[in-house]
């Protein structure tokens, strides 16, 4: 009989819980109330200024409805501005506010610094190998996701 604790799905779920807990704790430590998906969205908008909401959903691999709520919260926090697309009046384009730009300059090095804590117990070489293998699995299974990632890295 296989233990659930040795099943990839269970291990991945646990690693996600650990990652989210570390992210949340580190943001609280510096007095920021931002979630991992909000951070990913800000990073994607920063990399793609003027991106529309549907494209943003693909860049961060979230469904359109969920990303709409994320964007609503970022707009309410005055971190993102929404405007009518000059190319398609039905679409809304997103840009970071100056406050968001300043926040990202502060957060990016902090978030990058605690990535090793998420993979605690691994050497640098093991972290690189695990990340490469996880990336390979995610790429191969992307189309199976309810919200596949599209576009380039954010």
């Amino acid at each position: 009989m296989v233990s659930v604790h040795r099943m990839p799905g269970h291990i991945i779920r646990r690693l996600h819980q650990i990652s989210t807990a570390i992210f949340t704790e580190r943001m609280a430590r510096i007095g920021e109330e931002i979630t991992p998906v909000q951070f990913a969205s800000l990073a994607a908008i920063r990399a793609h200024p003027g991106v529309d909401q549907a494209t943003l959903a693909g860049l961060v691999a979230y469904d359109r409805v969920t990303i709409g709520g994320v964007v609503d919260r970022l707009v309410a926090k005055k971190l993102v501005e929404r405007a009518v697309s000059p190319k398609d009046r039905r679409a809304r384009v997103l840009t970071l506010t100056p406050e968001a730009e300043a926040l990202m300059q502060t957060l990016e090095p902090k978030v990058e610094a605690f990535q090793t804590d998420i993979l605690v117990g691994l050497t640098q070489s093991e972290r690189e190998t695990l990340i490469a293998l996880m990336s390979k699995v995610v790429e191969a299974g992307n189309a199976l996701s309810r919200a596949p990632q599209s576009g380039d890295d954010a």
Side-chain angles (χ1 to χ4, degrees):
M1 186 194 282
V2 177
S3 168
V4 68
H5 301 288
R6 304 302 296 164
M7 293 181 172
H10 179 77
I11 295 168
I12 292 164
R13 182 184 64 79
R14 290 289 299 133
L15 187 54
H16 178 260
Q17 289 174 323
I18 292 164
S19 172
T20 300
I22 290 170
F23 188 97
T24 302
E25 185 272 330
R26 299 299 164 83
M27 291 300 108
R29 192 184 288 181
I30 61 171
E32 293 297 338
E33 290 186 23
I34 188 163
T35 67
V37 70
Q38 289 172 349
F39 178 82
S41 297
L42 291 172
I45 296 167
R46 189 176 197 205
H48 304 276
V51 68
D52 64 85
Q53 216 164 279
T55 302
L56 175 64
L59 289 170
V60 297
Y62 264 73
D63 64 86
R64 290 180 184 194
V65 172
T66 302
I67 207 68
V70 171
V71 170
D72 288 345
R73 286 184 286 286
L74 292 172
V75 168
K77 290 181 177 187
K78 298 189 181 348
L79 296 174
V80 169
E81 293 177 340
R82 231 186 313 225
V84 174
S85 169
K87 296 176 186 172
D88 179 355
R89 307 244 353 119
R90 297 168 294 167
R92 300 292 178 262
V93 293
L94 308 169
T95 55
L96 297 186
T97 64
E99 294 83 2
E101 283 288 350
L103 178 64
M104 290 302 284
Q105 286 181 9
T106 299
L107 293 185
E108 281 182 335
K110 293 180 186 311
V111 170
E112 187 174 337
F114 68 69
Q115 296 306 297
T116 55
D117 297 340
I118 292 169
L119 300 178
V120 65
L122 299 181
T123 66
Q124 177 63 30
S125 176
E126 289 170 331
R127 285 192 301 270
E128 290 171 5
T129 299
L130 179 61
I131 290 167
L133 290 171
M134 288 189 303
S135 296
K136 185 176 181 179
V137 170
V138 166
E139 186 176 314
N142 189 48
L144 303 173
S145 172
R146 187 173 61 90
Q149 183 174 349
S150 60
D152 57 358
D153 290 339

